[in-house]
Amino acid sequence: MSSTKKRRKKRKRSGLWALAAIAAVIVMVIVAGSYKLQKQLSADTKKEADLQAQYNEELQRSQDIEEYAKYTKTRKYIEEVAKEKLGLVYEDETIFKDEDGE
């Protein structure tokens, strides 16, 4: 074999090694990026679940407030407040008190 053929063969080998090294680096970058994206996806999924639970709680709270607002407009609520806080009673009502004064 001549020295020219040896040099060409050596260049081919070094070119293949360089190509293999570049391919390995690209694969490592892709794997690292994939791992990072997977980790971010997991965190985002957890955050989404937490926010959905919080939304559901606030929705329930809003419904409870609406129901209470409707209840406060009823005659029954007005009577309860008048009796408990103001001590008012109907004229024909009889009041019984415990010996403790309650």
Side-chain angles (χ1 to χ4, degrees):
M1 252 204 240
S2 71
S3 65
T4 315
K5 287 184 181 182
K6 286 182 184 180
R7 278 191 230 146
R8 284 185 193 166
K9 201 172 189 181
K10 194 173 185 180
R11 281 186 193 165
K12 274 187 179 181
R13 278 191 209 153
S14 54
L16 287 175
W17 280 109
L19 187 60
I22 291 171
V25 169
I26 290 172
V27 167
M28 288 191 303
V29 168
I30 290 172
V31 168
S34 174
Y35 175 74
K36 184 178 178 183
L37 287 175
Q38 188 64 32
K39 192 174 178 182
Q40 183 66 39
L41 178 63
S42 177
D44 289 348
T45 302
K46 184 183 181 315
K47 186 174 182 179
E48 180 185 10
D50 291 344
L51 289 173
Q52 185 64 43
Q54 185 179 357
Y55 171 77
N56 291 339
E57 288 173 8
E58 290 300 321
L59 188 62
Q60 182 62 45
R61 183 172 172 253
S62 175
Q63 290 171 350
D64 292 345
I65 290 171
E66 286 178 22
E67 288 176 18
Y68 184 73
K70 288 178 186 176
Y71 173 68
T72 59
K73 295 175 184 173
T74 64
R75 182 176 179 95
K76 182 179 177 183
Y77 174 77
I78 294 169
E79 288 177 0
E80 285 178 9
V81 170
K83 285 181 181 180
E84 290 176 12
K85 296 191 178 183
L86 303 175
L88 299 178
V89 293
Y90 287 108
E91 290 179 9
D92 60 343
E93 230 176 346
T94 305
I95 301 173
F96 296 97
K97 291 189 176 183
D98 289 341
E99 291 179 0
D100 298 336
E102 294 181 13

